[in-house]
Amino acid sequence: VAMAATRSVMRAVRVFEFGGPEVLKLQSDVLVPVPKENQVLIKVHACGVNPVDTYIRSGTYARKPALPYTPGSDVAGVIESVGEHVTAFKKGDRVFTLETLSGGYAEYAVAAASRVFPLPDKLDFRQGAAIGVPYFTAYRALFQKGCAKAGESVLVHGASGGVGLAACQIARACGLKVLGTAGTEEGMNVILRNGAHQAFNHRDPNYTERIKACTGPGGVDIIIEMLSNVNLDADLQLLSCAGRVMVVGCRGRIEINPRDTMSKESSIIGVSLFLATEEERSECATAVLDGIEAGWLKPVVGLEYPLEKVAKAHEDIIYSSGARGKMVLLL
């Protein structure tokens, strides 16, 4: 703790009011947080940027943090100090987090020790910052909520982003037939290199017909849906009997015909990592750490930004055309 005390201030992004990307303010005089019992202080090397960060910042999300706050949940870095009763980690350990208490867009972050995991040497810090929310969400969507089984088919709708690529890698490793969509040629190549058996361009007006031709009359068993406000109606046409759409992302309303679910007894299931129980989170963690160990879990890092360009990162994650991996801030 003495180390942290010598450097008592840090650079961190602060949000004082909800709004557009311009409300993200980089400040250089933020106090370095001190870990309490069962908490650790991490010197942050990289922090993942998730679409949910932008929803929370805009004030439109179901959960609103108390202002001011620092965004960011997925950090990778090195343990700086530990609070009382922490035995799993020591100063100098390489780690990644699922969430932080003080916010990840900062030079230091405090996290509950139970939300921190060892980062193996085979992955760098940028990759470490791309694990938490994407892989835990993908695992939860596929198995805890989607009840995926080996031999079933899965369509990852918007497969070239952080959660999408995680879903492709996990589904492929677990014996599913994996189809993915992306919006660019480059995106399609990325998903084919990361577990998809076939890729489709969702900007092609006939792409749903191509998916149907690929799955045959049976349809697809599970759809992992990143943009349900655009795709949900079409998804219902692509499902098999007893198929299920896992709603991972949504940016607005959509009209559907519920009769489409009756004809196939299909389900639309919402996914929220925030609602996972302690047991479920620990099951996700085991699967993720096993995947890293086995070598099939390899986070793909996309665009990288310095902390000064955080507002640009928030713009790009919503408006740029076609994701290619996980967006990260580098410190």
Side-chain angles (χ1 to χ4, degrees), residues 273-289:
L273 187 55
F274 183 64
L275 295 175
T277 63
E278 211 55 62
E279 292 72 31
E280 288 172 330
R281 249 192 304 266
S282 127
E283 183 195 334
C284 289
T286 301
V288 163
L289 294 169

Side-chain angles (χ1 to χ4, degrees), residues 22 40-41 52 57 64 80 96 103-104 126 136-137 158 166 175 195 215 229 245 252 268-269 296-297 312:
E22 69 283 351
V40 298
L41 178 68
V52 71
R57 181 213 71 227
K64 281 196 186 65
E80 178 72 25
F96 71 93
R126 293 152 48 250
F136 281 60
T137 299
T215 60
N229 53 299
V245 180
I268 301 166
I269 302 169
W296 56 255
L297 193 158
K312 179 86 174 89

